[in-house]
Amino acid sequence: MNGRVLRTELRRSAAPWAGIVVLAGSLAVFFPFDAFWWHGTAGWTAQWTTMAMWTRSLLAYWWPFVIGIGAVYGLRESRSRMTELLSTTPLPAWRRAALPAGAIGLAAAVGFGLLVLVGGAQVAAGPTTYAALGWLPISLVAALALVAGAVFGMGVARALPSALTPPALVVVVFVGTGLFLRMNNEGAVPTGRVSNRFAQLSPATVEPRQMLLTLSGSVHLGQTLWLLGLLATGFALLAAATRRARLLAVTPVLAGLGLALLVLPAAARDTYVVDKAAAALVCDGPVCVTQASRSRLTELALRSKDAMRVLHDALGDKAPASVREDTALHELAAARELSADVLLVDFNDRMLADAKGEKLTRALIARGLAPSCYPDNDKEGGGSHDIPAQSIAVSWALHDPQLQPLQEKGTSRYALETWAEADVAWQKLMALPPAEQRSRIVELHAAALSCEGYKQVTKLAGGASR
């Protein structure tokens, strides 16, 4: 392909819009809003894998549009009524098809590549020290999907030269992609049991909520086979000059589909898996974190010593003996399994996310005295029913003269009522003899471990937790 001709094609055609839509559209989603994709360990610039997963999740919007742009581009010859004229030239049909296909494929790949470059630069400038290459297949398959989708749209428009072809393709692909995502996103976190081989034909992924979440190797392979078949069919349709050639052009996509369905896992819990390299534990004595959180180990180990001492004074032999980062995948509404011997930490927990120094010590004591069965990832203050009870327990354990909230109390009616009850419970607790106070804290600890009740403040005040 002549470079000068390719540059002319890129300047004077609709091909660059495929890359512009992906790059500008994604940046317009990420940057103007201070939303959840900027926060926590699963933020789009927190880790390399989460960056790749976030950019890939936006294909739910841009993949249909790129296919539509390809279809608009593929109608160029029919709109200008040059199809018959160009078919009489001595240049082979596949060579005529290679130039526009190469132009739009290059534009789509470059647009997505620049998006990954923007995200990668922010990840590299951030605090993470974990830089494995497991994120590369996620981004490479996404780039392949955009190239294949653009060329496929061109081929379909060439075979069905109608002004209705581009919008029809956008609507069908957009609806299908959304449907597949819902099939593949049971319980809001991809750990359901839905049979989802067909759902994985969509290149879009769910929004990552846990930093250790990644795609399995069988998903990469299956999607690559399917997308290569889609790309080959799109190019064959683009180059086909007869009805028989158009019918034969569907062979690659059917072959890719068949091979992909043999490779892709049937269950969502086999699609999204824990990244074993990132989840490998690094320890400093009884304190362990994942490789992905290794930069936090020094501070955590230092503060854990003080926290473990306070927990032992408060709980005796019932106190946890070690601190470990939680590496299990959880559905958003599902309780996690707790152990009396291990203090689980989750750096996506809003109490621990940015905690340092004395604040981190208090957070560890809180999670040790009244561990939460449900991760507290709500960014807004006052949203968790565990925080007031944990604040009372920590203030008691550290002999604070007054109740010290672990977080801002919040301004909602529910938050104000809850903290008012916490103030009453604190006064009642401190009015009891020391032995009874300790007994209440031990009861709180046992109830929290067994996930009993949802209003532990009442238990501290001397009533039932329900």
Side-chain angles (χ1 to χ4, degrees):
M1 187 184 301
N2 188 290
R4 180 176 58 83
V5 177
L6 178 61
R7 289 194 297 273
T8 302
E9 184 75 13
L10 288 170
R11 287 199 308 269
R12 299 182 180 181
S13 72
W17 282 103
I20 293 172
V21 165
V22 174
L23 176 61
S26 299
L27 296 181
V29 169
F30 282 137
F31 280 94
F33 309 104
D34 183 23
F36 59 93
W37 50 74
W38 285 106
H39 302 280
T41 57
W44 91 283
T45 59
Q47 301 282 346
W48 288 98
T49 299
T50 57
M51 180 274 295
M53 294 286 283
W54 269 109
T55 53
R56 179 87 173 258
S57 71
L58 292 182
L59 293 192
Y61 307 103
W62 310 140
W63 198 51
F65 279 105
V66 167
I67 292 176
I69 292 171
V72 172
Y73 193 24
L75 290 176
R76 180 175 59 173
E77 292 181 8
S78 63
R79 288 200 309 269
S80 59
R81 300 179 182 180
M82 294 180 59
T83 303
E84 185 176 353
L85 174 63
L86 292 175
S87 64
T88 61
T89 62
L91 195 66
W94 69 268
R95 290 190 62 183
R96 293 202 310 271
L99 178 62
I104 197 168
L106 178 63
V110 168
F112 186 76
L114 290 175
L115 173 64
V116 172
L117 184 63
V118 171
Q122 294 185 84
V123 174
T128 183
T129 58
Y130 181 71
L133 297 179
W135 64 275
L136 272 177
I138 301 173
S139 295
L140 290 176
V141 171
L144 174 61
L146 291 170
V147 173
V151 176
F152 179 74
M154 290 182 65
V156 172
R158 181 70 64 85
L160 301 172
S162 168
L164 298 177
T165 299
L169 274 176
V170 171
V171 171
V172 170
V173 177
F174 187 82
V175 172
T177 301
L179 177 62
F180 286 160
L181 277 178
R182 285 194 294 273
M183 291 173 60
N184 208 8
N185 196 21
E186 182 181 311
V189 160
T191 53
R193 298 178 177 84
V194 179
S195 180
N196 68 337
R197 284 195 174 96
F198 280 99
Q200 292 170 66
L201 297 178
S202 167
T205 62
V206 297
E207 299 166 349
R209 297 299 179 93
Q210 294 175 262
M211 70 169 179
L212 300 178
L213 195 72
T214 189
L215 292 169
S216 65
S218 58
V219 174
H220 296 319
L221 177 58
Q223 290 183 339
T224 299
L225 292 172
W226 150 249
L227 292 170
L228 287 175
L230 193 69
L231 174 63
T233 288
F235 188 78
L237 287 172
L238 196 58
T242 64
R243 179 177 298 179
R244 182 172 181 273
R246 295 188 184 98
L247 291 175
L248 291 176
V250 302
T251 303
V253 72
L254 293 178
L257 175 62
L259 292 173
L261 293 178
L262 291 176
V263 173
L264 293 170
R269 63 174 62 254
D270 298 322
T271 302
Y272 296 87
V273 297
V274 171
D275 185 339
K276 294 181 179 180
L281 293 179
V282 183
C283 299
D284 182 351
V287 181
C288 297
V289 298
T290 63
Q291 283 282 1
S293 303
R294 188 167 189 165
S295 59
R296 298 176 180 260
L297 179 59
T298 302
E299 175 78 2
L300 182 66
L302 177 63
R303 296 299 167 180
S304 293
K305 293 179 181 179
D306 296 334
M308 298 293 278
R309 184 180 64 254
V310 174
L311 290 173
H312 186 269
D313 292 341
L315 301 173
D317 57 1
K318 293 182 174 61
S322 61
V323 178
R324 178 173 59 81
E325 184 177 356
D326 190 6
T327 59
L329 292 182
H330 305 287
E331 297 184 40
L332 288 184
R336 56 186 174 188
E337 185 176 348
L338 300 176
S339 171
D341 297 330
V342 179
L343 195 166
L344 285 180
V345 297
D346 179 0
F347 292 115
N348 205 40
D349 186 328
R350 62 191 177 99
M351 188 188 295
L352 295 167
D354 301 316
K356 294 182 179 179
E358 185 64 25
K359 187 177 180 180
L360 178 56
T361 303
R362 296 182 73 93
L364 292 171
I365 295 172
R367 290 302 188 231
L369 290 175
S372 177
C373 294
Y374 301 92
D376 182 17
N377 299 341
D378 181 16
K379 186 187 170 192
E380 299 298 329
S384 173
H385 56 263
D386 294 319
I387 301 299
Q390 290 172 342
S391 299
I392 294 173
V394 173
S395 296
W396 174 85
L398 294 176
H399 309 290
D400 292 331
Q402 294 181 336
L403 174 61
Q404 300 295 326
L406 289 166
Q407 293 180 348
E408 294 182 6
K409 293 183 177 182
T411 57
S412 68
R413 179 179 178 181
Y414 170 78
L416 293 175
E417 291 177 353
T418 300
W419 281 103
E421 293 177 5
D423 289 331
V424 174
W426 168 256
Q427 297 297 332
K428 290 184 177 180
L429 178 67
M430 299 309 294
L432 296 173
E436 180 63 20
Q437 293 177 18
R438 186 180 302 276
S439 176
R440 294 277 177 90
I441 296 297
V442 171
E443 289 178 9
L444 171 67
H445 176 70
L449 285 174
S450 59
C451 298
E452 291 180 1
Y454 67 94
K455 208 167 186 181
Q456 304 295 358
V457 169
T458 307
K459 181 179 290 293
L460 289 171
S465 62
R466 282 189 181 273

